[in-house]
Amino acid sequence: MSYSDLQQQPIAMFDMDGTLLDLAFDDFIWNHCLPERHAQVHQCSLEQSQQTLFQFYQQHKHTLSWYSSAHWTAKVGVDVLQLQYEHRDKIGPRAGCHQLLEQLKAKGYRCWLLTNADRAGLQLKLENVELSPYFELMISSEELGHAKEETAFWQKLQQLHPFDPAQAVFIDDTVAVLKSAEDFGITQLFSILQPSSSKAARAATELPYPALDHLTELFDYLETNLQVTDAKTA
């Protein structure tokens, strides 16, 4: 296949945690395990730990530091990556994850994994859920030096791996990330109703983008869109 043919193939871009994988694991680590371990290490009450960590979380949300296990290890004095490895049996895919990826591959989509997880976190997830075979590209925002919430992430991605935003579909559970992708020029954007099985599903009306529950619902949207496109060009 020539480079120009490759450029014409549609690209399905996926977030990882909360989109392909159940965010319940991350919720468990950050909201349960880390406060407990932090309280043990610093010999303070669980409530004090929760307050301290919550303040840190608020300060760093949507920044590259937020997603860095090395940053958090230095900041809170707990080996956050080790903590995740201790509970890695809780890492799991969301409903329809592998089914959707199989179908996309069969239909000729190029699949890209774009995660804010740092490289160490990405490696941990890939060791526990088989995702690698489906993706031609797997990018950690740590590699690009910008979180996905920044337009600079998309600019850098396009410089390194040229793609046509009009040919791309992007699925992410975080509205701020989808907004950044929209600002860059990607128009086929989808969110997730229930990123974490440990929390209630969000209402579709609260989300500014079409939201998927079972991931294979994406095909209903894509096929409708293809029919509309065919009608326009007919």
Side-chain angles (χ1 to χ4, degrees):
M1 186 177 287
S2 72
Y3 179 72
S4 59
D5 288 341
L6 199 61
Q7 287 290 85
Q8 290 305 308
Q9 276 186 284
I11 301 176
M13 301 175 171
F14 287 94
D15 167 50
M16 183 171 66
D17 300 314
T19 298
L20 293 175
L21 303 186
D22 190 344
L23 200 63
F25 170 76
D26 304 86
D27 287 342
F28 177 69
I29 294 295
W30 295 97
N31 299 328
H32 178 75
C33 298
L34 185 56
E36 280 191 352
R37 185 67 57 86
H38 183 268
Q40 288 167 4
V41 168
H42 297 285
Q43 297 185 319
C44 61
S45 71
L46 182 59
E47 191 181 8
Q48 283 174 306
S49 269
Q50 287 167 331
Q51 285 179 349
T52 301
L53 292 170
F54 182 72
Q55 284 180 328
F56 289 161
Y57 293 170
Q58 292 302 103
Q59 285 167 14
H60 295 282
K61 204 166 186 181
H62 299 310
T63 69
L64 207 55
S65 297
W66 167 265
Y67 302 103
S68 165
S69 46
H71 169 84
W72 286 111
T73 298
K75 181 103 178 166
V76 304
V78 173
D79 189 332
V80 175
L81 190 62
Q82 174 60 35
L83 198 59
Q84 292 179 71
Y85 269 95
E86 287 173 27
H87 297 282
R88 61 185 180 272
D89 59 309
K90 292 184 180 294
I91 297 170
R94 290 190 66 260
C97 169
H98 291 102
Q99 197 181 340
L100 173 61
L101 293 172
E102 289 279 2
Q103 287 175 314
L104 286 170
K105 207 172 180 183
K107 287 182 182 282
Y109 275 80
R110 302 164 66 194
C111 291
W112 291 8
L113 184 73
L114 309 175
T115 179
N116 270 330
D118 61 8
R119 278 172 286 211
L122 173 58
Q123 184 60 37
L124 165 68
K125 302 290 171 64
L126 295 181
E127 285 169 12
N128 289 277
V129 179
E130 192 177 38
L131 292 176
S132 303
Y134 301 100
F135 290 95
E136 71 168 33
L137 187 66
M138 307 182 94
I139 293 275
S140 160
S141 58
E142 183 182 22
E143 296 168 49
L144 302 190
H146 299 278
K148 289 186 295 181
E149 287 87 335
E150 302 171 48
T151 312
F153 170 91
W154 301 98
Q155 293 166 341
K156 191 81 180 283
L157 177 68
Q158 195 179 44
Q159 283 169 14
L160 295 172
H161 307 279
F163 69 94
D164 178 2
Q167 289 283 323
V169 178
F170 178 51
I171 304 96
D172 198 294
D173 64 306
T174 303
V175 169
V177 171
L178 291 164
K179 179 73 175 70
S180 170
E182 184 176 24
D183 290 344
F184 178 70
I186 298 173
T187 56
Q188 294 186 82
L189 299 163
F190 299 90
S191 192
I192 300 293
L193 277 182
Q194 190 177 17
S196 169
S197 62
S198 65
K199 292 181 179 176
R202 303 181 286 190
T205 49
E206 291 172 14
L207 296 164
Y209 302 96
L212 312 171
D213 187 16
H214 196 284
L215 281 165
T216 53
E217 290 169 12
L218 180 66
F219 270 108
D220 296 336
Y221 286 102
L222 295 181
E223 284 173 8
T224 303
N225 193 43
L226 279 174
Q227 286 164 6
V228 170
T229 306
D230 291 345
K232 281 180 185 166
T233 53

